[in-house]
Amino acid sequence: MRTKKLFILTMILVLLSGQAVVAQNTVNNVKLYELNRQKHRTNINVPEIDGYKTLKCDFHMHTMFSDGIVWPTLRVAEAWYEGLDAISITEHLENNPSRPHIGGDDNSSYEIALPASKDYNILLVRGAEITRSMPPGHLNALFISDANKLDVKEPLDAIMEAHRQGAFITFNHPGWKAQQPDTCLLFDIHKELIEKDVIHAVEVFNENEWYPIALGWCIEHNLAVTGYSDIHEVSSHYYPLDKYHRPMTLVFATERSIEGLRDAMFARRTVAWFSKYVAGPDHLLQPLYHNSVTVSKLKNSDSKGRTLVEVRNNSDFTFELQPVNADFPGATLQPNSTELIRLDPVKAPARLQYTIANWFIDTGKNPTVTHQL
Amino acid sequence: MRTKKLFILTMILVLLSGQAVVAQNTVNNVKLYELNRQKHRTNINVPEIDGYKTLKCDFHMHTMFSDGIVWPTLRVAEAWYEGLDAISITEHLENNPSRPHIGGDDNSSYEIALPASKDYNILLVRGAEITRSMPPGHLNALFISDANKLDVKEPLDAIMEAHRQGAFITFNHPGWKAQQPDTCLLFDIHKELIEKDVIHAVEVFNENEWYPIALGWCIEHNLAVTGYSDIHEVSSHYYPLDKYHRPMTLVFATERSIEGLRDAMFARRTVAWFSKYVAGPDHLLQPLYHNSVTVSKLKNSDSKGRTLVEVRNNSDFTFELQPVNADFPGATLQPNSTELIRLDPVKAPARLQYTIANWFIDTGKNPTVTHQL
Amino acid sequence: MRTKKLFILTMILVLLSGQAVVAQNTVNNVKLYELNRQKHRTNINVPEIDGYKTLKCDFHMHTMFSDGIVWPTLRVAEAWYEGLDAISITEHLENNPSRPHIGGDDNSSYEIALPASKDYNILLVRGAEITRSMPPGHLNALFISDANKLDVKEPLDAIMEAHRQGAFITFNHPGWKAQQPDTCLLFDIHKELIEKDVIHAVEVFNENEWYPIALGWCIEHNLAVTGYSDIHEVSSHYYPLDKYHRPMTLVFATERSIEGLRDAMFARRTVAWFSKYVAGPDHLLQPLYHNSVTVSKLKNSDSKGRTLVEVRNNSDFTFELQPVNADFPGATLQPNSTELIRLDPVKAPARLQYTIANWFIDTGKNPTVTHQL
Amino acid sequence: MRTKKLFILTMILVLLSGQAVVAQNTVNNVKLYELNRQKHRTNINVPEIDGYKTLKCDFHMHTMFSDGIVWPTLRVAEAWYEGLDAISITEHLENNPSRPHIGGDDNSSYEIALPASKDYNILLVRGAEITRSMPPGHLNALFISDANKLDVKEPLDAIMEAHRQGAFITFNHPGWKAQQPDTCLLFDIHKELIEKDVIHAVEVFNENEWYPIALGWCIEHNLAVTGYSDIHEVSSHYYPLDKYHRPMTLVFATERSIEGLRDAMFARRTVAWFSKYVAGPDHLLQPLYHNSVTVSKLKNSDSKGRTLVEVRNNSDFTFELQPVNADFPGATLQPNSTELIRLDPVKAPARLQYTIANWFIDTGKNPTVTHQL
């Protein structure tokens, strides 16, 4: 009762004064939050394997301290938004461009990014790109302690200085047409350095280029299979991030730390992921697939009496499954989705065996996966 | 060497004849797959709780057999694409419209959809909507055996026939303005039927309407909290499915079967999910939240020495976390994303306590969640 | 002054009674409009040519009255949302499936859709699909007066009855693999009917298939070039409408009416548009291009002294412009976007000549367009 | 015949050598263009008015030369992608932060961006932000000749130096809570400078804030109505550009040149556009609306005999049309879309009169538009 009277009274007063009250709140400053993109870290959903954590890494990128167009701190923020765990800013040592009004040395980029990496909980690996004509071409040195010392005249001196600093060294974009227009060769110098355990990895993917032949080298010579963005621009300007993650290397580590990364990479526990493709050794791709996809034969048949098999992809990977023999259907599994496979109950197989047509375990070779029903 | 000679020879021949070869393949029929939307079931990511499976259910919808505009089989296909586990097609019993050229009876809709439900592995619950003026308004009867028998003159006779068939009965859209323009009341007849265990649930959400007061009834009278689409149109025409799932009820069941659903619903193990909102009893929302979100205090501090706490949302839910006292920051957790919370190390709390401002456990009441650090 | 006093008084009262006031408004029924997709007609932006209106038409589709899965009225609503001007629902005459609980005859589909077409201002052309084995295969008869009369035993009788009704007859999907697995042939019967002016058009595009060889037939025999969806499903389930319009035929008509359409089609003023491709006679594609794209040489040079040419695409078409000789750059023009072309000022050409690599004026032949600078 | 023989021969050779041929092309370097976002300038579709060109301008933004985080050249590239015609990079003069390794002075930002602006055909207006405590707060000086001369101790000296350089001066974000937490006042100093024609404009919109009261000042004192981004970050990180254009000022100019801009702004031919809102004087909003929207009464009635009126929005604006009296329906016009309005033929009005509820011509005042039928 009291409430009702007060309500009527209030309403009268609102008619008299309320407009002014409201006006104070709404004419001075109205926030239009719909004009803001809410910032957050989008999780990347890929499984752990063999008890290792799966760290999402991009260890090849540039900033204004070589020929990139963004400041080092932005690389850290991009990594956060995109769900990466670790990055390395690998400036060109040799042609650090004399941009107007920018100074610093070969370590500046790392030093500027370091506080941001702490703020965003991104692992920042100190690295640099040894940038030479072919051979040996471009090589990334990761886990170094002082980039300035690598900025020397002779390519081999730079490489060996990195080696002395304990670097993990990658042969970058071997099929890049600016250096190998019609070929994609492993030169003698590379073979030598591989043999001496100075080169440990090859980029089978770089920016938007995929070098299938280089995957064969990795398998033959036991090199880590890697793929990176080599981004110079704003990441979201270059990649359609609503459709694909940035290209990256998945590193299977005992812990999420610089030390964990280093151990895993020297142990070659890496695969490259780019667009819908994954490349790496079969013994890593097998658990990666099986921890991503569940296959269950359903109890009930469909309306035509066929056996139903549910194939569920719990990951952000895409799988193009092609039956090894033609007696049962294949399926394309989009990220985070489920397909049904219908089998003739009479000749239903006891197991489904597929090749993953968009995953690679060697040059021109796809993994084969098997599910018992 | 042999390859090279053959290569040259081939190239010559290709220049002569190749065009014709290619022409045969490309002038007759070129498939433009980019014009196809790839069809697949998009997984809904919400956790299990208390050892129960979380079934995603929409138990209120219409087709051409009442006043909907789609055929029953499409409802099953939509459910598959959208990741639902179970549906019920609940035609209006009384005003089954005499559309041109359509016949059938109150069971036709179910019978037509049943084979499709087997093909898509969707649980199809037989149901119907008792559609009367208020009171008692509209009520959905689920798990019935013959809808035709419910199509009788007196509302109460229809309800009691459903009850005899073992129906789970829901009071639909209580605040619908067509029946309660300015109110949202539980009438005496409802209270009576609740007391007699004839009405077991209320829709706290319907189509695009949310009735907070009805959540209070559910808590007070131990009714199942439900929310459904009541869709009449094509689902993707009505809902912006790229942004939100269709409104649904999560049912926590021992198994994915009609029997599992029935047991769970009679046991009131349900919550309603619509847009970014979730409504249900606190004892269900607590584990739903805690199985969705992980909170970890990080070892390393940020660049200003602040303690970092990572809050990771592994689900498709959205959480608006507001600190119970103001000494630490809140966070809005988008689906499948991660936020960092920064705490002053001096006055860092031993635990974080939040209300979830967009989840509801009673009329105007949000759940409180606690994380020990 | 008065306002201020009232303000204070009001605030006191609000503290006392306001909560109750607010509660009444928000606990009964809260509308969550974010859960609604706002429905509207999205304009299709393509230019007029030669003083004709450009009507966007889909004259091949099915509903539940043959083997489609939607009701005829939905076809009209879809046309409205997608910006089409005119449709024809072309049910299969012969195999009108005996779906459970559906009756009617070969005219029912049109009759049900007609009131909806008036409500949405969509031109509804009465049509039907003569559905036979090859030859003559499937043929669409548009602008007929009674579909039932076409439902006769002999294919030729059906065709000639349509002809007597004044039909515009199209040879549908000639390269459809179900009828021509390895070929895409114009049979003698087709040639005969073309010669007798009974067949007036060919589908060079259908659903997601493009038959380049059929474009050559159209050019050789002066047939209307057409492309349609042949949709059986919900349109937005089948086509990714956020990326591409549904395939359609553009008809250049003196007025937006059934009569205008008929005149234009018999006059062969049509082109087919599907994904990024357009097919039709050069004399129609030339003005369509030139009314879509503006090319302007800018007054100012770029920072390297190069001449800048702005190429602006005002339409929803995509253009892949390839220079006829290699002295200047090409460009891919996305819908509603602008590109800059940079020319060496010393050897800058007086005109830019391009082929449009994704538009077709004959089998394997692209149009050439010229811009004077 | 010759072709056929060659074809068979070729096929044999392909079987022998072809695989090697193909291998060479595909194992070295495969380009995955799907990993690239195609870069282009998206046109902004707003009409011209009164014979003036409509230039889309953002004259308030920052880079690394004050407290922004991007390099000046990126601001130009962003403007190109987003369809802007003109920008001004308005660094804070006073607190040019001493970032590590960056030098330069108050003119550096402009000088670095200038060549890029020529490459992208973006008009680059030299400007700077006078950044002081309130009053006078922050003011932007556009069309200046030397920013260094404005970097002086006394605020008024800076303003008058800008005035001497012929600057167009804007009072920035008057309701910014850091300077006016509870108010949004025009101080005496502002009124004085307005009277002396030193201040010519006010930001009624800044970043994500809208100051309705400031629109009233503009109307009362004949100031240009402006709204800008004040962007410090990467534009696409801050704004959801798939939904809304960046906030901007539309300037109605005789030509697309710096001179054209200056004349138009001193003549107050500007309106502010932010999210779905537009603010400006009625005499500019009227033609902007009428050149965007066409209203046509259709010849044919709908199925219920109602008169149909087609309302077509050809622009990127959104319009919320509310009938001035309630006898006919309103409509929300999304960008580039069409709505149908249905009128009772008996009491159909001779004209439709609407207020545009999301456009503003004064504090709390919407424009009224009229269409004769």
Side-chain angles (χ1 to χ4, degrees), chain D residues 37-164:
Chain D
R37 176 188 294 283
Q38 202 225 338
K39 285 174 178 181
H40 58 261
R41 175 174 172 82
T42 301
N43 301 333
I44 297 178
N45 289 312
V46 292
E48 305 194 342
I49 65 169
D50 303 341
Y52 296 114
K53 290 182 193 307
T54 302
L55 303 183
K56 299 104 200 172
C57 307
D58 187 2
F59 292 150
H60 193 166
M61 62 183 66
H62 298 272
T63 77
M64 302 201 68
F65 284 89
S66 56
D67 54 348
I69 67 160
V70 308
W71 202 241
T73 51
L74 189 70
R75 291 289 178 230
V76 176
E78 289 177 333
W80 166 257
Y81 298 142
E82 295 178 36
L84 297 176
D85 290 295
I87 62 169
S88 183
I89 304 177
T90 50
E91 312 290 7
H92 301 293
L93 291 164
E94 296 77 2
N95 52 354
N96 228 318
S98 53
R99 285 179 195 274
H101 311 306
I102 296 192
D105 63 24
D106 292 316
N107 285 321
S108 299
S109 188
Y110 175 81
E111 286 155 6
I112 290 170
L114 193 58
S117 76
K118 292 186 178 187
D119 291 349
Y120 279 109
N121 189 33
I122 297 294
L123 300 173
L124 184 69
V125 170
R126 195 193 286 254
E129 184 166 17
I130 299 165
T131 310
R132 307 296 176 129
S133 58
M134 185 69 84
H138 296 200
L139 298 108
N140 266 2
L142 302 176
F143 308 107
I144 55 173
S145 50
D146 184 349
N148 287 329
K149 290 192 183 153
L150 276 61
D151 200 347
V152 294
K153 200 179 163 209
E154 289 303 318
L156 211 56
D157 292 348
I159 293 171
M160 293 319 294
E161 171 57 28
H163 187 61
R164 269 187 298 276

Side-chain angles (χ1 to χ4, degrees), chain B residues 69-265:
Chain B
I69 66 160
V70 307
W71 201 241
T73 51
L74 189 70
R75 291 291 179 229
V76 176
E78 289 177 334
W80 166 256
Y81 298 143
E82 296 177 36
L84 297 177
D85 290 295
I87 62 170
S88 181
I89 304 178
T90 50
E91 312 290 6
H92 301 293
L93 291 165
E94 297 77 2
N95 52 354
N96 227 319
S98 53
R99 287 180 194 273
H101 313 304
I102 297 191
D105 63 24
D106 292 316
N107 285 321
S108 300
S109 188
Y110 175 81
E111 285 155 6
I112 290 171
L114 192 60
S117 76
K118 291 185 178 187
D119 290 349
Y120 279 108
N121 189 33
I122 297 294
L123 300 172
L124 184 69
V125 171
R126 196 193 284 254
E129 185 167 16
I130 300 164
T131 310
R132 306 295 175 130
S133 57
M134 184 72 83
H138 297 199
L139 298 106
N140 266 1
L142 303 176
F143 308 106
I144 56 173
S145 50
D146 184 350
N148 288 328
K149 290 193 182 150
L150 276 60
D151 200 347
V152 295
K153 200 180 164 211
E154 288 303 318
L156 210 57
D157 291 349
I159 293 171
M160 292 319 292
E161 170 59 28
H163 187 61
R164 268 188 297 277
Q165 294 186 14
F168 180 91
I169 299 184
T170 305
F171 177 18
N172 295 344
H173 45 70
W176 184 35
K177 288 187 183 300
Q179 293 200 325
Q180 297 208 54
D182 303 311
T183 53
C184 182
L185 301 176
L186 201 60
F187 288 77
D188 285 346
I189 176 74
H190 302 123
K191 289 180 189 161
E192 216 171 286
L193 292 169
I194 288 169
E195 203 157 303
K196 289 181 180 159
D197 202 29
V198 175
I199 288 181
H200 314 91
V202 177
E203 280 187 340
V204 303
F205 183 86
N206 175 284
E207 197 180 340
N208 66 359
E209 297 183 345
W210 147 233
Y211 318 108
I213 207 168
L215 176 59
W217 307 341
C218 294
I219 300 305
E220 185 184 345
H221 299 286
N222 188 30
L223 299 169
V225 179
T226 65
Y228 302 123
S229 72
D230 201 356
I231 188 88
H232 289 66
E233 291 195 47
V234 173
S235 163
S236 62
H237 285 184
Y238 190 83
Y239 292 112
L241 297 176
D242 53 328
K243 278 187 263 170
Y244 298 104
H245 297 289
R246 169 207 302 225
M248 67 185 73
T249 296
L250 301 177
V251 179
F252 306 103
T254 50
E255 58 168 38
R256 191 185 187 279
S257 69
I258 298 285
E259 206 43 57
L261 280 170
R262 191 202 318 253
D263 289 352
M265 295 186 78

Side-chain angles (χ1 to χ4, degrees), chain D residues 163-202:
Chain D
H163 187 61
R164 269 187 298 276
Q165 292 186 16
F168 181 90
I169 298 183
T170 305
F171 177 20
N172 295 343
H173 45 68
W176 183 36
K177 289 188 183 298
Q179 294 200 323
Q180 297 208 54
D182 303 312
T183 53
C184 183
L185 301 176
L186 202 59
F187 288 76
D188 286 345
I189 177 72
H190 301 122
K191 290 181 186 160
E192 215 172 285
L193 291 170
I194 288 168
E195 203 158 303
K196 289 182 179 158
D197 202 28
V198 174
I199 288 181
H200 313 92
V202 177

Side-chain angles (χ1 to χ4, degrees), chain B residues 27 29-32 34-37 39 64 71 101 103 175 208-210 212-213 233 236 238-239 275, chain C residues 27 29-32 34-37 39 64 71 101 103 175 208-210 212-213 233 236 238-239 275:
Chain B
V27 301
N29 186 333
V30 182
K31 284 268 186 187
L32 302 180
E34 76 265 28
L35 266 168
N36 285 95
R37 176 188 294 281
K39 285 175 178 181
M64 303 201 67
W71 201 241
H101 313 304
N208 66 359
E209 297 183 345
W210 147 233
I213 207 168
E233 291 195 47
S236 62
Y238 190 83
Y239 292 112
S275 145
Chain C
V27 300
N29 186 333
V30 182
K31 286 268 185 184
L32 301 180
E34 75 266 27
L35 265 168
N36 284 96
R37 176 187 294 282
K39 286 178 178 177
M64 302 202 68
W71 201 242
H101 312 305
N208 65 1
E209 297 184 346
W210 146 234
I213 208 168
E233 290 196 49
S236 62
Y238 191 83
Y239 293 113
S275 146

